[in-house]
C-alpha cells in the first residue's frame, strides 16, 4: 500500500518546511509527497526549489494563481499511490493521524474517508464562532441534497482510493472543491466514512485564507453539483 499525499501550496513560506517534515515523520512510511505550488509570491517557490524538491516525489509549479481546487486537480492527476490524501500546507492538520484516516479504506470498508473536526475527543483549537456556524450550515445544506450524514463537509482531510479521485473531473478552482467533491462521491455511491481528527486552526493573522465570499460560493456549488450537474 502506497499513500500519495497531495499538498496544495500558496504563500506558505512560514510553514511549508515544517509540514514536509511532519508528513515525512508520519507513521505511514511508503508515502509519495506531491506539492503543487499555486504561483506563490512570498518566497515559497524559491524555498521549494532550493531545499524541498529533493525531499519529495514531485513539485509542480503553476505559472498563474488558480486556487486550491485547481492545485488539487493538478496533484490528483500525478499521483501513483493506492490511497490519496489531501494535506494543506499549513499546520492545521496532523499527519500523525494518517493511519486513522486510511484505516477504513485498508479494511475495505470505505472508498472515501472524511476527517471530522467536530466528532472527536482530540485537540481542537478554539477560533472563529461564525466560521463554525457557517460550516454547520454548509454541511447541513450539503447533507440535505446528498442524503449523507456528514458532520464536517468542509474539512481538508479527505482520503480517497486513487481510482475514485482520478475518475472525477474537478471543475472548481478555489474552495468550492469541498462541496463539489462531496456531491460527486455521493452520486457515485461511494462507501463514505467519517473519522474524528484533531484541528489546530489558524487565525487570519497567521495566514488563514478562506473568507466569507468563499462561503457564498460554497452554497452555489452545493446547489450546482447536486441539482444542476449530471456528473
Amino acid at each position: 500500500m502506497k499513500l500519495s499525499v497531495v499538498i496544495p501550496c500558496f504563500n506558505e513560506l512560514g510553514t511549508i518546511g515544517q509540514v514536509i517534515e511532519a508528513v515525512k515523520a508520519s507513521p505511514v512510511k511508503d508515502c509519495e509527497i506531491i506539492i503543487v505550488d499555486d504561483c506563490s509570491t512570498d518566497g515559497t517557490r524559491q524555498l521549494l526549489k532550493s531545499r524541498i524538491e529533493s525531499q519529495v516525489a514531485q513539485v509542480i509549479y503553476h505559472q498563474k494563481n488558480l486556487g486550491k481546487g485547481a492545485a488539487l486537480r493538478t496533484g490528483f492527476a500525478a499521483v501513483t499511490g493506492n490511497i490519496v490524501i489531501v494535506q494543506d500546507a499549513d499546520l492545521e492538520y496532523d499527519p500523525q493521524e494518517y493511519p486513522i484516516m486510511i484505516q477504513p479504506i485498508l479494511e475495505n470498508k470505505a472508498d472515501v474517508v472524511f476527517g471530522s473536526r467536530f466528532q472527536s475527543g482530540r485537540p481542537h483549537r478554539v477560533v472563529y464562532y461564525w466560521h463554525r456556524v457557517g460550516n454547520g450550515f454548509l454541511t447541513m445544506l450539503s447533507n440535505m441534497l446528498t442524503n449523507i450524514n456528514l458532520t464536517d463537509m468542509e474539512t481538508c482531510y479527505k482520503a480517497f482510493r486513487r481510482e475514485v479521485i482520478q475518475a472525477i473531473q474537478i471543475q472548481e478552482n478555489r474552495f468550492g472543491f469541498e462541496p463539489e467533491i462531496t456531491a460527486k462521491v455521493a452520486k457515485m455511491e461511494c462507501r463514505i466514512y467519517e473519522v474524528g481528527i484533531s484541528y489546530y486552526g489558524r487565525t487570519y493573522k497567521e495566514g488563514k485564507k478562506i473568507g466569507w465570499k468563499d462561503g457564498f460560493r460554497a452554497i452555489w456549488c452545493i446547489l450546482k453539483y447536486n441539482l444542476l450537474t449530471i456528473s
Side-chain angles (χ1 to χ4, degrees), residues 5 32-36 53 55-60 75 78-80:
V5 181
E32 173 187 60
I33 304 173
I34 296 177
I35 303 170
V36 182
E53 276 188 3
Q55 301 179 43
V56 301
Q58 191 173 358
V59 181
I60 304 170
V79 297
T80 62

Side-chain angles (χ1 to χ4, degrees), residues 44-86:
T44 298
R45 178 164 292 203
Q46 290 72 24
L47 177 64
L48 291 171
K49 290 182 177 181
S50 64
R51 289 180 46 195
I52 294 177
E53 276 188 3
S54 61
Q55 301 179 43
V56 301
Q58 191 173 358
V59 181
I60 304 170
Y61 298 96
H62 282 178
Q63 298 309 308
K64 181 181 179 181
N65 178 247
L66 299 173
K68 179 180 177 179
L72 289 175
R73 182 167 59 239
T74 297
F76 291 152
V79 297
T80 62
N82 308 91
I83 301 175
V84 182
I85 195 167
V86 178

Side-chain angles (χ1 to χ4, degrees), residues 1-130:
M1 192 285 298
K2 179 165 72 172
L3 177 66
S4 293
V5 181
V6 178
I7 306 177
C9 179
F10 175 64
N11 287 352
E12 297 290 0
L13 180 63
T15 59
I16 184 62
Q18 294 170 271
V19 168
I20 298 306
E21 290 179 5
V23 173
K24 293 171 72 71
S26 78
V28 181
K29 298 309 176 186
D30 192 359
C31 193
E32 173 187 60
I33 304 173
I34 296 177
I35 303 170
V36 182
D37 179 70
D38 196 31
C39 200
S40 294
T41 58
D42 68 338
T44 298
R45 178 164 292 203
Q46 290 72 24
L47 177 64
L48 291 171
K49 290 182 177 181
S50 64
R51 289 180 46 195
I52 294 177
E53 276 188 3
S54 61
Q55 301 179 43
V56 301
Q58 191 173 358
V59 181
I60 304 170
Y61 298 96
H62 282 178
Q63 298 309 308
K64 181 181 179 181
N65 178 247
L66 299 173
K68 179 180 177 179
L72 289 175
R73 182 167 59 239
T74 297
F76 291 152
V79 297
T80 62
N82 308 91
I83 301 175
V84 182
I85 195 167
V86 178
Q87 173 73 54
D88 278 355
D90 50 35
L91 297 173
E92 292 191 337
Y93 297 83
D94 187 357
Q96 289 294 315
E97 296 178 353
Y98 287 170
I100 298 170
M101 286 293 302
I102 66 176
Q103 192 63 34
I105 298 178
L106 293 177
E107 294 176 351
N108 197 27
K109 295 178 180 177
D111 303 305
V112 179
V113 179
F114 284 64
S116 174
R117 296 164 287 180
F118 309 125
Q119 67 161 31
S120 77
R122 296 183 175 87
H124 181 113
R125 183 180 179 184
V126 175
V127 279
Y128 298 115
Y129 169 76
W130 288 110

